[in-house]
């Protein structure tokens, strides 16, 4: 437990991890905004924090892991001038915003389950904490930093910056921000363009709205995480995580809000996961350089020829460190799939290898090195490299080039299972999936034989195949050159 | 659509169902209190409403189906003297109440998924609607029916009853209730024992609390459903459902609250599902006459010897009408399992039956009778009896005792699928099993073709099959007369 080092974005360096309360860890991770299907970059973030959660729990910490659902307040373009993302989607589809929220919350949970991630211990929603957010706004106004204009309340960044440091997380200076913040005339009633909304007045057409001391409105996006993290983890907690794109302005604003309310920094360790690219370019819906998890699983997409299982994708994610940019390409995924299959085969093989002699491989040292990798800022690629040392070893034992004692076999089995299933949270290959592809492969062989028979004018064999397939519920459809099948 | 008749508890009779807004249905169902694993009786309720939801959607209605999560306010013993169920569980386990909520919400969703029920379109939480509840309390106080005492607010049932009728749903008279309501001296500060809490003052040790005009506290249980149903479905909506045990006091209080706020009855159709017994006795945790869904699925329980799949249990539920008491016994489940398997076999068989002649069975009349069963207050046992007429028919066709035309086969196939999978929401037996047997069947066909080729001395084809199979990991072992295969 004592040797865990974690990269702290706030300090721009690795620090020894010591929790505030002995043996307990409070961790908050910014969850999805549920207005569309969760995108792959977000999945990588949540899978990375699942690894961190699993490892902390494995080390014996009692972890309270809070990951929120943003179901209101997230404004387009992440500024205060756009429209609430969920409200907009509901308006366009002419349905109740909470129907959007429900649809994509269910989708998100399903996807996370496919990736075999654990549920957080608390999963609070922004709309479930309006009162808490209103109470915080009152405090920020009382502290002289929040100000009301026309039914909206803003956070005065300039005033805050006089006694504190706005930009400490993202290493930005307010004076530089001033030149870079766009200001659209007439669309904004803030004192300064850099200020951010704590409460937004709801225009008459805005569906999501709650009464407040400043009239009907809805909370600003940054506030929800301060409200929920402090409610469930206290004014100061151990870890706050999220994607790198949230560092500014979202997390910077969270720090400002919390410091203003409690006069202290809210978080010990800020952890940020890096972005993903697709075929070397930024993933983006607008340029169509984008792929949804389900389309990657099914193989039905115009980016890749092959389908990839959630386990393989997860394994691929872990082959890069969470702080590295990860580029998704088909060739890289294919080679990951091979590696994943090799690893899984070895895990099967280890039960069958015969005890004979003793291996020269230092298993205890290997175990220490595996922990060493994880203790070095959750370095999963190094851990995976270590796992492949054992894959090689198991193959040598199988080939009779190396011996293995019972004690060694038991140790290897135990720690392979711990690192692969408990900590990395990988799963064994899906049997149904394998069966599916095998089924198709065999059908293709049958079709090949039948096409050959038709070509050779051996209609007896061709008809035999058709009738036999028919009898087990598979229909053949003969086209001029080839035949297709469909399974009932 | 026009012929649907629904039993309305409020009127104690079946009524023709006409929605308030053409082609749209608003339905609210009281969801689980998430302080423990969902019990089987609750599952039956939610599965019954899933059937109703599926059938309404099948008829072409656009259904907004709201099912809430009760995560605060549900007091033990359903009176105002006990402790909040979630708060108590959290206190006993010394964790944050929302950790309890999360654990059992995830468990509930998992169980509902195992039963193949659809997600509701909105799934609001009580804690997510504290503001809405506070606003309703203000209105009830303004109407002169709510009164505050010592930081709690109560609903004056006697005053309400002067101008309305408290007891109209449960057919109780207030004067009878007075004699039967227990009153513990000193524990209660209500004007009358029959009054119920709208807002409860939070004692210092109470973990779940929100600020309100009456001080820190938490909402009464009955209020949440009025707040959430009116927010998402309006002041008057089509269907309100729940278990029969909720009729009084919960639903009675909902009516009183809504009438007081809007001067009109909130719901057109009240639908209540009946209770379940286990081996002839009331299911109850305290007497240990109780079984959890997961223990029924796994077979690991001290009540039954066999394990039963969610599909079989669901099929068993549907063999009784939702308004009948249902007794769970092992022998009844075993015979249901047989029936379910027979039905599923027929659904497989129908693809294989040969078109030959025409059946004397009147399929159009049968379809009408199936709809007739569902239109008669969602009478699933009658529908299932109708399905077994077709099981019998398919067996007769298989045995050559009855003919079938292509049109007849297509109609049967179509409507069997609609009623079994789309409306009842049953699932086929475990797919892996099906895939396994299909894989073997196709391999047997390939072997048959290859044996034929060998016999005909067409070694080219025989070798082609061997090599192709080899390339996908299947080895052939040639014996004198026949060949075996083994899959790597």
């Amino acid at each position: 437990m004592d040797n865990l080092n974690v990269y702290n974005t706030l300090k721009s360096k690795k620090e020894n991890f010591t929790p505030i309360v002995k043996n307990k860890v409070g961790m908050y991770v910014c969850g999805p905004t549920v207005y569309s299907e969760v995108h792959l970059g977000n999945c990588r973030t949540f899978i990375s924090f699942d690894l961190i959660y699993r490892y902390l729990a494995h080390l014996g910490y009692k972890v309270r892991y809070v990951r929120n659902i943003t179901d209101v307040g997230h404004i387009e373009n992440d500024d205060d001038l756009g429209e609430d993302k969920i409200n907009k989607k509901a308006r366009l589809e002419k349905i109740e915003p909470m129907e959007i929220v429900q649809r994509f919350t269910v989708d998100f949970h399903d996807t996370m389950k496919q990736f075999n991630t654990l549920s957080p211990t608390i999963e609070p929603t922004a709309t479930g904490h309006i009162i808490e957010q209103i109470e915080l706004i009152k405090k920020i106004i009382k502290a002289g930093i929040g100000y009301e204009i026309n039914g909206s309340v803003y956070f005065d960044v300039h005033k805050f910056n006089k006694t504190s440091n706005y930009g400490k997380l993202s290493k930005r200076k307010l004076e530089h921000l001033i030149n870079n913040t766009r200001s659209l005339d007439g669309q904004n009633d803030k004192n300064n363009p850099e200020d951010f909304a704590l409460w937004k007045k709801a225009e008459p057409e805005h569906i999501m709205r709650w009464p407040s001391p400043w009239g009907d409105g809805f909370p600003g996006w940054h506030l929800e995480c301060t409200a929920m993290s402090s409610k469930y983890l206290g004014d100061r907690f151990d870890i706050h995580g999220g994607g790198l794109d949230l560092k500014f302005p979202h997390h910077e604003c969270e720090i400002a809000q919390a410091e203003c309310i409690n006069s202290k920094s809210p978080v010990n360790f800020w952890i940020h996961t890096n972005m993903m690219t697709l075929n070397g370019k930024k993933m983006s819906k607008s340029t169509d350089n984008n792929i949804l998890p389900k389309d990657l699983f099914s193989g039905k997409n115009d980016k890749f020829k092959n389908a990839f299982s959630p386990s393989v994708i997860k394994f691929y994610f872990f082959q890069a460190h969470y702080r590295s940019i990860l580029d998704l390409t088909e060739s890289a995924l294919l080679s990951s799939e091979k590696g994943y299959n090799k690893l899984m085969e070895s895990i099967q093989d280890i039960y069958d290898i015969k005890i004979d002699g003793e291996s020269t491989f230092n298993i205890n040292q290997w175990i220490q090195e595996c922990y060493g990798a994880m203790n070095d800022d959750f370095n999963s690629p190094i851990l995976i490299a270590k796992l492949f040392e054992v894959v090689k070893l198991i193959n040598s034992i199988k080939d009779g080039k190396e011996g293995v004692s019972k004690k060694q076999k038991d140790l290897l089995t135990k720690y392979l299972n711990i690192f692969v299933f408990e900590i990395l949270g990988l799963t064994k290959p899906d049997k149904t999936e394998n069966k599916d592809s095998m089924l198709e492969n065999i059908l293709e062989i049958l079709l090949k034989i039948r096409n050959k028979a038709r070509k050779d004018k051996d209609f007896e064999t061709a008809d035999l195949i058709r009738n036999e397939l028919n009898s087990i519920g598979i229909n053949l459809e003969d086209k001029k050159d080839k035949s297709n099948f469909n399974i009932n």
Side-chain angles (χ1 to χ4, degrees), chain A residues 125-148:
Chain A
T125 62
T127 63
H129 297 77
I130 304 290
I131 290 182
E132 289 81 351
Q133 293 177 75
I134 290 174
E135 294 300 310
L136 292 189
I137 297 171
K138 287 182 190 168
K139 285 185 184 172
I140 296 172
I141 292 176
K142 206 174 165 194
I145 303 291
Y147 60 92
E148 188 210 337

Side-chain angles (χ1 to χ4, degrees), chain A residues 31 42 77 163 197 200 225 294 360 379 395 444:
Chain A
N42 277 348
N77 310 320
T163 55
K200 289 282 284 178
C225 290
K294 65 173 182 189
T360 55
N379 200 321
N395 286 336
E444 291 295 345

